[in-house]
Amino acid sequence: MIIQKLLESDPRFRGQQPVYDGRKNMYARAMFPFGNERINAEVIINEAGKARKFVVAIQWVARVSMEILRQYIGMDGRQVNPSLGMDDVMCTIQSLDCILRYGLASRYVPVGRSFFTPPADGGYDIGGGLAVWRGFHLSLRPSMWRMQLNIDVSATAFFKGQELIEFLLTMMREQLKNHHPNLNYPLTDATRMMFKKEVIGLKVEATHCEPRRKYRVINIPPLSAEQLTFPVQRTEDGPEERVSVASYFQERHGVTLRFPKLPCVQVGKKERHTYLPLEFCSIASGQRCLKRLTDVQTSSMIKRTASKAPERANNSMKLVRNAHFNEEPSVQDFASRSVMK
């Protein structure tokens, strides 16, 4: 998001469609106006009504040679020259791979070397608050006389975008076999720890105000929302007072918690004491499940995604057509200079 904002707002990058690999490399079809000079470009990101400033350092490093790749694979009828330095060849292949993938990352959810599309129906439910998303695996590989684009169908489990309360209820029903959970009572320590294990590291959206902000869960404190307190300074020069989370939401946002005996999620940085009641949190969509699936979930996923070879091939071709590689602005920009021809 930072690099994209920079490319859109800074006039020094106009007229080109540079691509960024998400780490530290940027590729462009021609030199930027500042040439070999190192620049520090400022980017202002407005997030939830707050402006954050970032500084991006950019400096020319090297020129990627397409000629080396052409020689390596024997393109245009040339004699194959496999003795060329592999570091230079791999650098060229990585740049082409980045050009192909950059535009896709804005239209799909990237996971490793795969891209996934949010299902219109939410995906196939495999239990545990998870759903199967379908996508495709993409890799660019050299072969004799040409480059080959390898595409295959893939599938993986994502967390369903749902209210955190619903996720808790699903966990209690499926894992604890409690088919009639009562959220008007505090969670047991065992249940809270199991819930904590499931949600630590997840991104959640705060739903009590607009615009919604996303936070990462860092803890599930043992105290309930009506018991958990944190320091609040009501006036600039006044003393700090400790206020419960339930009382704070009543005073600040005018809402009475429906489930004050449930714990809160602690989000953001630990020292800031940011607590959110479960009922005002929803799991942000597009988060891949990194934990090991249960045997039942794995079996459900295999049954749903298994297909015969001809069907798999047809699905792969359909993915190629739907990806519209040639219509990506970055691909067109580099192709205009014969970089990708």
Side-chain angles (χ1 to χ4, degrees), residues 2-7 10 12-13 18-20 24-28 30-43 55-61:
I2 297 172
I3 297 298
Q4 185 62 34
K5 179 71 172 179
L6 171 65
L7 298 178
D10 196 314
R12 289 173 288 189
F13 302 101
V19 297
Y20 173 58
K24 63 177 183 179
N25 297 313
M26 180 185 290
Y27 302 97
M31 291 288 287
F32 294 130
F34 46 85
N36 297 345
E37 179 186 354
R38 176 190 174 97
I39 67 165
N40 293 315
E42 292 188 358
V43 183
V55 178
V56 180
I58 301 177
Q59 184 172 23
W60 181 87
V61 175

Side-chain angles (χ1 to χ4, degrees), residues 48 205-213 215 249 253 255 276 280:
E205 288 185 346
T207 61
H208 64 282
C209 59
E210 295 292 341
R212 294 187 175 186
R213 291 191 62 182
Y215 300 91
F249 270 75
H253 302 288
V255 294
L276 298 172
F280 292 126

Side-chain angles (χ1 to χ4, degrees), residues 155-330:
T156 193
F158 281 77
F159 285 93
K160 296 169 65 176
Q162 61 179 336
E163 300 297 323
L164 205 52
I165 287 286
E166 290 300 320
F167 184 81
L168 172 62
L169 290 172
T170 298
M171 185 201 76
M172 296 175 73
R173 294 188 186 108
E174 296 181 359
Q175 297 188 33
L176 301 178
K177 307 303 180 184
N178 183 355
H179 300 291
H180 302 286
N182 190 340
L183 301 184
N184 292 316
Y185 291 91
L187 299 182
T188 64
D189 283 341
T191 301
R192 182 183 62 83
M193 292 303 295
M194 183 179 293
F195 181 58
K196 176 180 177 179
K197 183 179 178 181
E198 294 287 336
V199 301
I200 283 290
L202 277 182
K203 285 185 178 181
V204 296
E205 288 185 346
T207 61
H208 64 282
C209 59
E210 295 292 341
R212 294 187 175 186
R213 291 191 62 182
K214 291 183 180 180
Y215 300 91
R216 193 175 296 277
V217 178
I218 63 170
N219 191 24
I220 303 292
L223 298 178
S224 67
E226 64 183 6
Q227 295 173 323
L228 180 63
T229 62
F230 62 98
V232 173
Q233 192 171 15
R234 299 184 184 277
T235 61
E236 186 175 349
D237 300 325
E240 282 190 348
E241 302 177 25
R242 298 199 67 84
V243 179
S244 72
V245 174
S247 298
Y248 178 83
F249 270 75
Q250 175 68 60
E251 297 173 11
R252 181 68 180 270
H253 302 288
V255 294
T256 301
L257 299 187
R258 292 179 299 151
F259 307 109
K261 297 189 180 301
L262 290 182
C264 300
V265 292
Q266 185 176 2
V267 297
K269 296 182 178 180
K270 184 176 181 180
E271 61 272 14
R272 292 188 176 179
H273 304 287
T274 304
Y275 303 103
L276 298 172
L278 299 188
E279 60 198 79
F280 292 126
C281 293
S282 64
I283 298 176
S285 181
Q287 297 183 84
R288 180 193 177 197
C289 176
L290 298 177
K291 66 177 183 179
R292 184 176 179 179
L293 301 181
T294 66
D295 291 342
V296 174
Q297 290 172 330
T298 302
S299 177
S300 298
M301 186 170 176
I302 292 174
K303 289 179 181 178
R304 183 67 177 183
T305 58
S307 60
K308 296 181 179 179
E311 181 183 354
R312 192 181 186 96
N314 290 334
N315 288 337
S316 296
M317 292 304 299
K318 186 183 297 183
L319 289 170
V320 173
R321 291 191 295 270
N322 292 339
H324 302 293
F325 290 107
N326 292 332
E327 297 178 14
E328 286 292 342
S330 55

Side-chain angles (χ1 to χ4, degrees), residues 133-171:
W133 286 23
R134 293 179 180 272
F136 60 92
H137 172 87
L138 173 70
S139 64
L140 192 63
R141 299 180 180 180
S143 64
M144 191 71 72
W145 305 311
R146 69 183 66 185
M147 295 295 295
Q148 291 187 339
L149 185 62
N150 179 38
I151 293 183
D152 196 6
V153 294
S154 59
T156 193
F158 281 77
F159 285 93
K160 296 169 65 176
Q162 61 179 336
E163 300 297 323
L164 205 52
I165 287 286
E166 290 300 320
F167 184 81
L168 172 62
L169 290 172
T170 298
M171 185 201 76

